[in-house]
Each structure stands twice: as C-alpha cells, then as structure tokens.
Amino acid sequence: MAELRLGPLLRYADGSSATVWVETSRPCTAEVRGEQGAGGTSRTFQVAGHHYALVEVTGLTPGTSQSYDVFLDGTRVWPLPDSRFPPSVIRTPAEDDTVRVAFGSCRWAAPPEGENDPVGPDALDTLAARIAAEPDGERPDVLVLLGDQVYADEVSEDTRRWLAARRDLSEPPGSEVADYEEYTRLYYESWLDPEVRWLLSTVPSCMIFDDHDVIDDWNTSASWLAEMRATPWWRERLLSGLMSYWVHQHLGNLTPAELATDPLYAAVRETPDGTDELRAFACAADADPDSVRWSYRRDFGRVRLLMVDTRAARVLDEQHRAMIDPGEAEWLREQIHDGRGAYDHLLIGTSLPWLLPHLVHDAEAWDAALCRGERGERWARFGERLRRAADLEHWAAFPASFDALAEAIREAGSGPGAPATVCVLSGDVHHAYVAEPTWPGEGGPDARVVQLTCSPVHNSIPLYIRLGFRFGWSAVARALGRRIAGHGGVPRPPIDWRRTGGPWFGNQLMTLVMHGRSASLKLEQARPVKGGGARLRKVAESELTP
C-alpha cells in the first residue's frame, strides 16, 4: 500500500483551482477530495527512486473555504490519524478580497520536539500554532519564502550522523550534501516538522532559492565558479540541487496553465522514470543559464508578485557583470508592463536586498570596481579575496543591475495606471529593516517604493551582524562608504535611500496587508513564553499608503 512520505503542500491557489504536492512511498494515484466537491487526481512520477505528484484541484468557488483529504490509490492518508491540528483547507480569494502576504527567508530546520533549540523559536512553527489555535481567524493568503529553504552546506547533527552512516565524511564534500538522495533528507527534516507540515498544507506558498539551497555564496564570481567546477564533487552537488529544487519547490510555483505547457513536466510524467530527463535539464541549466527561467509571476487579485532568480541567472564576466542576464531583465520589464493598470500593488521578490546600508552598498560597489581591474591586477586579486570573505555579492556588487532595477521600479511606479506601492521583498541578511529610495529632482515615481527585508525565519544572528548593520546606517558609516567608493572611482548611484524602520533582530516574519490601493506592514517575532512554547509578537506596524 502506498504511504504519504512528505506533504501535502498547498502551493498554487486562485479563485477556481489549486495545486497540491505530495511525495509517496511507491507509484500510485494521488487524489485530493474537497468537502464541497472540489477535487483532482494525478499519477505519481518518479525521480531517483522517489515518487511525487502535483495534483490540480478544480471545482473551487471564489471567496470560499473548504477542507480537503488526500487519498493514495483510494486510501485516505491525510489528515494523519490522531492529528492535533484542524483540517487542512483550500481558501479561494474573491476578486476584491484583502490580500495578506507573509514573507521571510533563511529557515534552518528546527530540532525535534522536546530538544533544545539553540537559535530560538521557529517563526513558521509559531505561525502554525497561532493559526491552528484560531482556524477561522486571520491568516496569510500566501507564504512567500525568499530563499535558503534548506541548507545544503550547514546540516544538523542528526543529518550529519545520517550522512556518516552513508559515506565517509573525510572525503569531500564532507558533512555537506553530495547528491539527490541527500537533498531529499534535507527536505524531510525541514518539511516533516509537524507544525510546518500542517502550515504548508493549508497556506499556499511561493518559493525561490538563494545560495544555501546549493552552497554559500553560490555564483559569487567567475573565478569562484571555475574553482568549484575543478573539484570532483561540485557537478553532482549542483545538478542534484537543481533537480531537487525543481521537484520540491519550482513545480509548485507554476500555475496550472504553465504546467500544462511545460515540456519538462510532460516528459517526466510520461516516462516510467524521469531521472534522465530531469538530469539533462539540470545539465543544460548549468552549461547555459539562459536555457531555463526560474523566475515567475503570480497574481493575487490586484496584487502582482514577480519572483526574480538572483542566483542562477547571473552574468559573471567581470566586464559585463549582471545580477540577472539580459533575457531575465527583459522578462522582468515585460511582466511589470503587462496589463498596465491591472494591479494596485507590485511586489518584486528577490532573495538578496536591493537597498543595503550605505556603507555596505559602497563597499560592494568599490569591490566590484577592484575586481574588474579599475586599480590594477594586484587590487583585483585583493578584491576577489575580499568579495568571498565578506559576502560582497548583493545588488550593489552588480552596479549596472542595481541601476537597471532602480529604473525599472521608477517606470513601474510612474504615470497613468501606476500601482499605489512597489515593494521589494528580500531576506538573506539575518535581520529585518525597511528602506525607502528617492530619485533626484522630479524624476521619482508616483507609487510609494519600499525595500522590505525580513530574515531569518529560523537561524542565528551573530553579534558582528547586529553591530555591523547598526553602524552601517549611521552618518559616519555613510561618509566612510563614500571615501571607500572614491578609491575605486565608483560614481554615486542614481538614487538615494534612507532606513525608515529597524534594524530588527530575531526569528521573524513580515506581513503585507493590501486592500484596494491601501497597504500596511507588520513585523512579528517568535518569542518564547513562560511555561514553554512561543508566540508571534508584534514588533512594528505601519501604513504604507495614506
């Protein structure tokens, strides 16, 4: 009999359809049955000995909510027997509904229940507990996870012991994951967490990778990539990372219409074992990043979300360095301008923050100038060493891309049909803050533009990060940054910006609430409570529109 190994994950949901992802123990037919007659079925597909299905659920009605069960070959496998959680539900939005988007990044898997958690309460666990306690209360309409859903290079002690039983950890890559099977272990550890498993079964989710989904500072530079490709273990690690991401995260990001026309999805489902097809796809993506687009668009009523790949789509040639390649940049502009006036709020999801403290921004732009040879070969070698040691690889380290994004945002927020807000959603930097740009003269957009950074969901916040980012926003740091930038001949960026909220440190989530042309922002942190457990406590709240 087929068993449910992982999931269900409620991924896509609109007014009439949804998708539900599962992993099973063997080939079977997966079925989702809603209490009000909605449903769908799908045969599993196989990759590397694992069996998955993405079930399209149809027959939904806008503005309704219905619980659902999951069946494998006719046997009910979800809800789990004796579950302490309420039924999982699919809520379908009405066209004029309020849209609540919760977001964050950097979730290290929580330890098993009862064990000490060295990094504090998990914000997703805590959100799940709140929703479970009040199932008819307020909840996000979508959970946006902005990278580092799994840590391929920083595994838990439990996973390290599992790896040691499988292979010799004295051989590279040591206690980091090496292949597809080991990636599945990371997803089991993260998504079998009872609270997170239930949360992902009842709140739709959008995801994008960042570096730790593959390796720290993935694609930081051309020389970094050349060194990695010279190691005996990198190719298998990268291919497995892309393959597992496609299966566990990317498929659920797509709409049913996109899935229906996706040639790889069709090929994997039509063959008894789709491993070779998926591996060939990953090989092509490695050889030519232009051959695949991980970025995607989702519309929630009159809210548009554009999730942008800032890792695999990079151009690493020092003389033509870009955060996203020309094709990706054109796609972004097309999605911004498609149906002008059809959305009231534009969300641009990018795992790496666009606006950083001025000192950090100037240091990254200066380092980029050094690396492309502005001060000679000796300084270029120093710049590359510094880039890797200090993680200088955000938007500021790709100056042309920083400027191009500023221009794209200005265009998006200007003129007839402009949205009320343009929000750049980011994570990565293990703290939260709000920053607002300004354009010189009268050249700024009509929309309110904000950089909203929220991280981590569950990870550590080293003291040097706290001190560095607090200092980085200061006037002294700003003056120091301009002196550093001057050494590399770095021009001033085309915009200025200021911090208007934070920095906040802790395991946390931000939530945007949008209705019509109004928008508000709330930051909540997971904090322990007396007697055990944790609670999400509001740290900050503000109106983004009048």
Side-chain angles (χ1 to χ4, degrees):
M1 183 179 73
E3 298 176 353
L4 185 64
R5 296 197 66 192
L6 197 57
L9 276 72
L10 175 59
R11 297 302 313 275
Y12 176 87
D14 61 20
S16 59
S17 65
T19 59
V20 175
W21 181 98
V22 296
E23 181 181 355
T24 68
S25 62
R26 53 173 289 177
C28 63
T29 296
E31 181 182 5
V32 174
R33 296 182 192 172
E35 64 171 338
Q36 298 170 18
T41 64
S42 179
R43 287 292 298 176
T44 57
F45 60 89
Q46 178 173 303
V47 174
H50 293 259
H51 307 279
Y52 310 94
L54 188 64
V55 181
E56 182 182 355
V57 180
T58 58
L60 299 167
T61 304
T64 63
S65 175
Q66 61 180 292
S67 62
Y68 71 90
D69 298 339
V70 177
F71 294 78
L72 301 180
D73 286 341
T75 300
R76 191 174 78 161
V77 295
W78 185 269
L80 298 175
D82 304 320
S83 171
R84 68 179 189 269
F85 297 101
S88 302
V89 301
I90 302 175
R91 291 190 174 187
T92 51
E95 180 66 26
D96 59 349
D97 272 357
T98 297
V99 178
R100 295 178 175 85
V101 178
F103 63 95
S105 78
C106 306
R107 180 178 180 267
W108 201 58
E113 189 173 356
E115 291 189 12
N116 177 58
D117 193 336
V119 301
D122 185 329
L124 290 192
D125 278 356
T126 313
L127 175 62
R130 183 172 72 186
I131 296 174
E134 301 180 42
D136 295 324
E138 200 173 275
R139 66 170 69 190
D141 295 294
V142 63
L143 181 63
V144 176
L145 301 176
L146 291 161
D148 296 345
Q149 275 67 263
V150 293
Y151 279 71
D153 53 352
E154 296 180 25
V155 303
S156 68
E157 282 302 312
D158 280 349
T159 294
R160 190 182 189 283
R161 287 190 289 269
W162 181 85
L163 293 174
R166 189 170 188 260
R167 57 179 171 83
D168 183 359
L169 299 191
S170 67
E171 298 291 331
S175 59
E176 301 181 12
V177 302
D179 59 24
Y180 188 91
E181 185 64 28
E182 294 177 5
Y183 264 103
T184 66
R185 167 74 184 192
L186 298 182
Y187 284 102
Y188 293 156
E189 184 176 50
S190 185
W191 290 357
L192 282 177
D193 174 314
E195 285 79 12
V196 167
R197 188 178 194 181
W198 178 78
L199 177 69
L200 294 178
S201 77
T202 199
V203 175
S205 55
C206 298
M207 306 178 187
I208 195 71
F209 46 46
D210 197 21
D211 54 346
H212 290 284
D213 292 84
V214 176
I215 194 171
D216 188 26
D217 298 340
W218 175 30
N219 280 346
T220 193
S221 68
S223 64
W224 178 94
L225 183 58
E227 289 180 18
M228 297 304 295
R229 285 176 169 170
T231 65
W233 55 270
W234 169 249
R235 181 172 172 79
E236 186 60 37
R237 164 76 153 273
L238 177 66
L239 297 184
S240 297
L242 294 178
M243 291 169 67
S244 63
Y245 174 79
W246 185 88
V247 169
H248 293 82
Q249 298 191 51
H250 181 67
L251 276 181
N253 293 330
L254 305 180
T255 69
E258 289 168 332
L259 289 166
T261 59
D262 188 299
L264 176 60
Y265 184 51
V268 168
R269 296 179 70 198
E270 289 168 1
T271 183
D273 186 337
T275 307
D276 290 344
E277 284 79 4
L278 184 53
R279 189 177 180 85
F281 169 82
C283 288
D286 178 34
D288 180 13
D290 291 349
S291 67
V292 59
R293 174 160 295 124
W294 301 107
S295 301
Y296 60 95
R297 164 181 154 184
R298 294 280 295 273
D299 290 326
F300 307 93
R302 292 188 61 82
V303 176
R304 177 165 297 175
L305 170 65
L306 302 178
M307 289 285 268
V308 182
D309 162 25
T310 55
R311 282 292 169 186
R314 294 180 174 188
V315 176
L316 299 179
D317 178 351
E318 293 295 346
Q319 303 306 316
H320 304 89
R321 194 167 159 83
M323 180 67 86
I324 56 177
D325 63 46
E328 200 83 2
E330 182 58 29
W331 174 87
L332 179 61
R333 292 175 64 87
E334 288 174 355
Q335 301 309 312
I336 287 173
H337 292 287
D338 182 41
R340 183 74 172 175
Y343 54 89
D344 292 320
H345 304 276
L346 175 63
L347 314 181
I348 300 176
T350 161
S351 62
L352 300 171
W354 172 48
L355 303 178
L356 290 165
H358 294 90
L359 174 58
V360 181
H361 176 97
D362 287 336
E364 295 202 4
W366 164 71
D367 184 80
L370 297 185
C371 291
R372 68 173 177 265
E374 297 295 332
R375 300 287 293 187
E377 290 187 12
R378 185 177 177 182
W379 278 103
R381 290 192 296 272
F382 168 77
E384 179 62 25
R385 291 195 300 271
L386 181 62
R387 171 191 279 164
R388 300 190 197 184
D391 294 352
L392 304 182
E393 42 118 33
H394 298 82
W395 283 89
F398 299 81
S401 295
F402 178 92
D403 295 354
L405 183 57
E407 177 59 18
I409 289 172
R410 187 197 65 78
E411 291 181 5
S414 302
T421 66
V422 179
C423 302
V424 181
L425 314 183
S426 304
D428 178 70
V429 290
H430 287 211
H431 71 290
Y433 63 90
V434 179
E436 296 191 45
T438 55
W439 278 256
E442 301 297 322
D446 305 307
R448 185 173 184 185
V449 179
V450 288
Q451 163 76 69
L452 304 175
T453 303
C454 184
S455 169
V457 170
H458 183 244
N459 210 314
S460 61
I461 303 93
L463 179 61
Y464 75 87
I465 288 184
R466 295 174 184 260
L467 297 176
F469 278 101
R470 287 190 187 280
F471 174 70
W473 289 107
S474 68
V476 172
R478 182 167 189 168
L480 177 60
R482 287 314 308 161
R483 289 184 67 87
I484 292 172
H487 175 262
V490 177
R492 289 186 178 273
I495 58 170
D496 195 6
W497 61 95
R498 63 189 179 95
R499 175 176 55 86
T500 56
W504 298 286
F505 300 94
N507 293 330
Q508 50 205 352
L509 286 168
M510 277 184 176
T511 301
L512 273 170
V513 180
M514 293 157 286
H515 183 82
R517 293 183 66 81
S518 70
S520 63
L521 176 69
K522 178 169 60 176
L523 174 75
E524 296 175 292
Q525 292 182 345
R527 296 181 177 174
V529 296
K530 290 182 178 180
R535 175 179 296 178
L536 282 176
R537 295 191 176 179
K538 183 169 63 177
V539 174
E541 191 169 24
S542 62
E543 296 293 327
L544 297 184
T545 54

